[in-house]
Amino acid sequence: MKINKNIFGLFLIGTFLLSCNKNEKADGYGNFEATEITISAENSGKLIQFTAEEGQILKKGAYVGFIDTIPLSLKRDQLLVQKTIISSKSSNVLSQISVLNAQLKTATINKNRIENLVREDAGTQKQLDDINGEIEVIQKQIKSIQSQNLPIINELKSIDVQLKQVNDLLQKSYIINPVNGTILSTYAESKEITSFGKPLYKIADLTNMQLRVYISENQLSNIKIGQEVTVKIDEKDAMKNYSGIVSWIASEAEFTPKIIQTKEERVNLVYAVKVDVKNDGSLKIGMPAEMWITNKSE
């Protein structure tokens, strides 16, 4: 009979402790979220290949597919042909300038000779005037031809810019995943026609999740950025604990969001807080959770 009384006493203590724990409230309630990135097409055309699937884990730099590049390749070939034709025109102009420069060099040598002859009274002023006139004519011809070559040079520069644009679009025709993460949704299928800016898939890094919770003004003094807190989620009949780090605290208060159910709490102003939690695979976007600033008993 004494043993039964002891067992009954332990049962009452256990029941009391459980009822106390159930009355305890978490310091914050919220939902898990992750930074979601929507990857869009950077070129227009037929989606020749697209391998993205929901739930697929991708590394940064992974190849996902490509958009038809034939029209761009043909345009590049056309520009290269135009550049070759225009370059030949420029070469002809430059060859004329080379001939004139050679004539100018010869005329300058002759001028120096005539100037020496005039100083020695072996030459005439007319000879010097004639050679100066010849030099002036050649210089004017060079300037005239150089002015003819300027539009050709500008045209070549324009084609070079167009080639850079085409090469850039060719590079962007290949869909390369920009971040590590898990594909959440896909918005396109292979063989579809896509356009610039059209969403292709949504991806998020789920290895580290953020719990957004809301705390009252009275709790602000008990929490700071970089502080370690306990995060709890429902797991069958118990609670599963995670270690979290406070990464952000809102600088301004806002009205209590709808996820706070009690009427008394919903009229208060609260502050949003983000807690970084390492995901073991159990945490999902939108999943509810609790934040405990102090490690209270379950």
Side-chain angles (χ1 to χ4, degrees):
M1 188 70 179
K2 186 177 181 181
I3 295 175
N4 290 337
K5 286 182 179 180
N6 290 336
I7 294 174
F8 182 72
L10 291 173
F11 175 76
L12 288 177
I13 294 172
T15 304
F16 174 76
L17 291 174
L18 286 173
S19 62
C20 289
N21 289 339
K22 288 181 180 178
N23 290 331
E24 289 182 349
K25 288 186 178 181
D27 296 293
Y29 301 88
N31 299 84
F32 281 106
E33 57 185 34
T35 302
E36 301 177 5
I37 300 175
T38 300
I39 310 301
S40 301
E42 296 184 87
N43 193 11
S44 299
K46 190 174 184 179
L47 199 56
I48 300 298
Q49 187 179 29
F50 187 63
T51 60
E53 296 180 358
E54 292 184 4
Q56 182 180 4
I57 299 175
L58 292 178
K59 295 289 186 181
K60 180 179 179 181
Y63 170 83
V64 180
F66 73 95
I67 300 168
D68 187 11
T69 59
I70 292 178
L72 288 172
S73 298
L74 293 175
K75 186 175 181 180
R76 182 180 60 182
D77 293 342
Q78 183 183 12
L79 288 170
L80 289 173
V81 171
Q82 290 179 2
K83 184 177 181 180
T84 301
I85 295 172
I86 295 171
S87 297
S88 64
K89 293 180 181 179
S90 181
S91 298
N92 292 334
V93 172
L94 292 176
S95 64
Q96 295 178 41
I97 293 176
S98 297
V99 172
L100 290 173
N101 281 327
Q103 294 177 4
L104 180 61
K105 183 178 180 181
T106 302
T108 302
I109 294 172
N110 291 334
K111 176 186 176 182
N112 294 332
R113 290 175 179 171
I114 293 172
E115 286 177 340
N116 291 332
L117 291 174
V118 170
R119 281 195 294 269
E120 295 174 0
D121 294 330
T124 64
Q125 184 63 40
K126 182 179 182 305
Q127 289 176 312
L128 184 58
D129 293 340
D130 289 342
I131 195 64
N132 283 331
E134 183 180 346
I135 290 174
E136 186 177 352
V137 169
I138 295 173
Q139 289 174 338
K140 287 181 179 180
Q141 289 176 336
I142 291 174
K143 289 182 180 179
S144 176
I145 295 176
Q146 284 176 338
S147 65
Q148 295 175 17
N149 193 45
L150 186 60
I152 298 176
I153 293 175
N154 290 334
E155 195 171 354
L156 284 172
K157 289 181 179 179
S158 175
I159 290 180
D160 285 337
V161 171
Q162 293 179 63
L163 281 170
K164 287 181 180 179
Q165 292 174 340
V166 170
N167 288 331
D168 180 60
L169 288 175
L170 280 170
Q171 185 177 358
K172 290 178 177 177
S173 295
Y174 293 91
I175 305 166
I176 305 299
N177 184 57
V179 294
N180 295 329
T182 303
I183 295 179
L184 305 178
S185 304
T186 58
Y187 308 112
E189 295 290 340
S190 181
K191 310 308 178 184
E192 285 185 356
I193 301 297
T194 189
S195 58
F196 178 83
K198 181 179 178 181
L200 299 176
Y201 63 94
K202 183 187 292 182
I203 190 170
D205 184 1
L206 302 183
T207 57
N208 293 285
M209 305 286 285
Q210 291 82 43
L211 175 64
R212 179 188 286 267
V213 298
Y214 296 89
I215 62 174
S216 65
E217 187 175 3
N218 296 332
Q219 294 173 290
L220 279 177
S221 60
N222 297 326
I223 192 167
K224 61 182 179 180
I225 294 176
Q227 179 177 343
E228 186 173 349
V229 296
T230 300
V231 173
K232 298 184 179 184
I233 64 170
D234 292 326
E235 187 181 54
K236 296 182 180 179
D237 297 330
M239 299 290 286
K240 185 175 181 180
N241 290 1
Y242 291 86
S243 176
I245 302 295
V246 177
S247 60
W248 175 78
I249 301 173
S251 57
E252 295 182 358
E254 58 184 277
F255 283 104
T256 308
K258 294 180 180 180
I259 60 171
I260 305 299
Q261 297 299 326
T262 62
K263 186 175 181 180
E264 293 78 7
E265 290 179 326
R266 286 174 61 180
V267 297
N268 296 329
L269 288 174
V270 294
Y271 291 82
V273 174
K274 283 186 179 181
V275 180
D276 291 342
V277 182
K278 190 171 182 60
N279 191 1
D280 61 355
S282 300
L283 306 180
K284 310 296 180 185
I285 295 175
M287 177 184 287
E290 302 175 356
M291 179 192 73
W292 295 70
I293 297 177
T294 56
N295 190 13
K296 301 174 182 177
S297 301
E298 293 185 0

